Amino acid sequence: MGIIAPTMKASVIEVLLAVPQINCDVKAGKIINPEFLVKCPAGCQDPKYHVYGTGVYASYSSVCGAAVHSGVLDNSGGKILVRKVAGQSGYKGSYANGVQSLSLPRWRESFIISESKPQRGVTYPSALTYSSSKHPAAKAGEPTKAYEKPSITGTTTQPVTLTQALAIPVAEATHRATSKPFTASVTSDPRPQPVGHRSQDTGEMDLWRPGPVLLDSGFVPKEELSTQSSEPVSQGDPNCKVDLSFLMDGSASIGKRRFRIQKQFLVDVVQALDVGPAGPLVGVVQYGDNPATQFNLKTHTNSQDLKTAIEKITQRGGLSNVGRAITFVTKSFFSKANGNRGGAPNVAVVLVDGWPTDKVEEASRVARESGINIFFITVEGAAESEKPYVTEPNFASKAVCRTNGFYSFTVPSWLSLPKTAQPLVKRVCDTDRLACSKTCLNSADVGFVIDGSSSVGTSNFRTVLQFVANLSKEFEISDTDTRIGAVQYTYEQRLEFGFDKYNSKADVLSAIRRVGYWSGGTSTGAAIQYALEQLFKKSKPNKRKVMILITDGRSYDDVRIPAMAAYQKGVITYAIGIQWAAQEELEVIATHPARDHSFFVDEFDNLYKFVPRIIQNICTEFNSQPRN
């Protein structure tokens, strides 16, 4: 009997306790009660109800959805205990029980759900108190209680609903950050400075201060404060499909005021862009002494989320090491892991206050050769008296993709920076003019002209095909990038496959393996002419035309006239001779200078050693083109 009594007692308590029922989509942020028992209906696994956080949930999560997500409830519903707790930061999204939770940086109020075991000495409400009379549960006759806003001065408090308490500061913060006009002027400050570094701007203006709610109290998404929006999420502007990195100046010299203006400029740009998975994606790197990624390309995929993330960025301080930042972006930022899509142009927009404190030329060269289009915005550049402190004269022209003015902006003062937003967006989205998207590895039509004569032999021919495959592997192959074609010749010629036949590296390599050995004589001149007519005639106008000819002997016919025809048609010819090939003939075939375009290999088995050198020469030639 002593064992049964406690069970009966708990059962009696539960019977006496009236547990309110709620719908699946009721959010904890709408309920004022700090701790309550509640009964969820069946069927709350619908993933449309957003759940924020794991273990501890954001107050605007649906209560029952969170319970299902954590495994406290199953699909048949049931009673749960909900306790409000202080806000959390660094929520991590996860998937459980058919519900996807969303990740969040921070939240002002949270709650914990657990099994419905009433705590001893705690009185639970039999009816819930909601923050708004518009809630469906309140319409059913449940009481609605105003949320008491505490008085700082000691006077009578004013009743304000929780929804109002949350919504008004967010609206004010948005207004402060985007709408309030500048009326103050910038005073010119004397700049006694250490070598290469501008003095710190200490001026403060409250006009650009984003409200305390966004930065200090946690962000409440707009869609969670109102009824759920039925507007579809934008997939982005497909005519502006770029992967864009902003390198923002976080150095100490910029000061808090200028740093806020810079953030607002980034907000203006991302709101002008139609950001989305099918359009532009944006990430931000802040640099000072060292660079750091604030968020990468896949962190935020719409303009509103980007705006919120930018407003939360805090200044790093330090020097203005732009060169180090560009190197970081080249090596680390534009990676597949960070959301780089491969098929979209890579664009880096550098903002600098005054001038960099390190050199940018070499870092920028590597970035260009990696396919990154660098834009440079110099704000309040060095005055005549400041030029002795500039580490690298003409740094902007050394950094940008091209020196034709398209990639450079010189802004006289931070107050006039907003005027640059629209012109920048227009240029960034003009993908046809993003010249540095084209690299030595992704912008050519490469045609192999392969000697299949009897002197080569079956075994050596397979070695030649492996050499062709090894060279092809180095290129970025697709219908819009580098394309590969092949011709085999003896006395006669045969088109093995054209530039438009295969659009992937795997297909090209498979096609190379399938090429059959022909056997016969060696008419190299006729082969060059055939390649020009049957292969390169179908080359795209915007592609560099590269011919790689491989032969093991002297040609039976003249090579001079076909070689000259190739030169006149803009075809860059590399001639690779093996064993019995004539060196002087290779030099006639090859594009000038012959030392960079002709190679002699003593044995077929040594062909593979020349792959890096040939690729290097192709890239060196490409990168030596004028940048104007």
Side-chain angles (χ1 to χ4, degrees), residues 73-334:
L73 292 181
D74 59 23
N75 206 35
S76 61
K79 293 189 288 292
I80 57 171
L81 174 63
V82 181
R83 286 189 299 119
K84 295 286 191 76
V85 293
Q88 300 286 318
S89 63
Y91 284 93
K92 293 181 179 179
S94 62
Y95 183 83
N97 301 300
V99 179
Q100 175 68 50
S101 77
L102 306 181
S103 58
L104 288 170
R106 64 177 72 178
W107 205 267
R108 70 161 59 82
E109 186 184 41
S110 306
F111 68 95
I112 299 170
I113 45 113
S114 58
E115 294 180 37
S116 60
K117 294 179 180 177
Q119 296 185 36
R120 187 173 297 176
V122 178
T123 303
Y124 296 96
S126 58
L128 300 177
T129 306
Y130 291 86
S131 63
S132 171
S133 60
K134 294 179 181 178
H135 195 280
K139 288 181 182 178
E142 293 185 355
T144 301
K145 184 178 177 182
Y147 178 70
E148 292 293 324
K149 187 177 180 181
S151 171
I152 297 174
T153 60
T155 55
T156 308
T157 59
Q158 295 179 340
V160 182
T161 66
L162 181 60
T163 303
Q164 291 171 331
L166 296 178
I168 293 170
V170 171
E172 288 175 353
T174 305
H175 176 72
R176 285 179 194 148
T178 61
S179 304
K180 199 162 185 178
F182 254 111
T183 55
S185 61
V186 176
T187 56
S188 58
D189 51 315
R191 293 170 182 163
Q193 51 221 313
V195 174
H197 195 42
R198 173 170 274 170
S199 64
Q200 182 172 346
D201 167 37
T202 56
E204 282 293 320
M205 291 195 304
D206 291 334
L207 294 173
W208 283 83
R209 188 186 302 278
V213 173
L214 289 175
L215 294 177
D216 304 324
S217 306
F219 171 63
V220 179
K222 194 179 290 182
E223 69 270 16
E224 295 298 328
L225 288 173
S226 59
T227 54
Q228 200 166 14
S229 173
S230 59
E231 292 182 13
V233 177
S234 172
Q235 291 299 301
D237 180 4
N239 296 317
C240 183
K241 188 177 180 181
V242 296
D243 289 341
L244 174 60
S245 170
F246 279 104
L247 280 66
M248 65 184 303
D249 190 340
S251 62
S253 67
I254 196 173
K256 293 181 180 179
R257 175 178 56 85
R258 292 173 181 149
F259 190 74
R260 285 198 298 271
I261 297 172
Q262 184 179 207
K263 289 203 300 180
Q264 183 59 39
F265 173 73
L266 298 192
V267 168
D268 292 345
V269 172
V270 299
Q271 290 189 322
L273 291 165
D274 183 5
V275 175
L281 293 179
V282 178
V284 172
V285 170
Q286 184 186 169
Y287 66 88
D289 289 336
N290 294 295
T293 301
Q294 301 291 153
F295 50 84
N296 64 31
L297 294 166
K298 64 182 182 181
T299 310
H300 306 291
T301 56
N302 64 73
S303 297
Q304 183 58 41
D305 288 350
L306 282 166
K307 175 181 180 291
T308 303
I310 290 166
E311 287 169 343
K312 292 176 183 289
I313 294 174
T314 56
Q315 189 175 354
R316 292 176 62 81
L319 299 173
S320 297
N321 288 332
V322 176
R324 189 174 293 179
I326 291 172
T327 298
F328 172 79
V329 166
T330 304
K331 290 183 176 180
S332 304
F333 184 86
F334 288 112

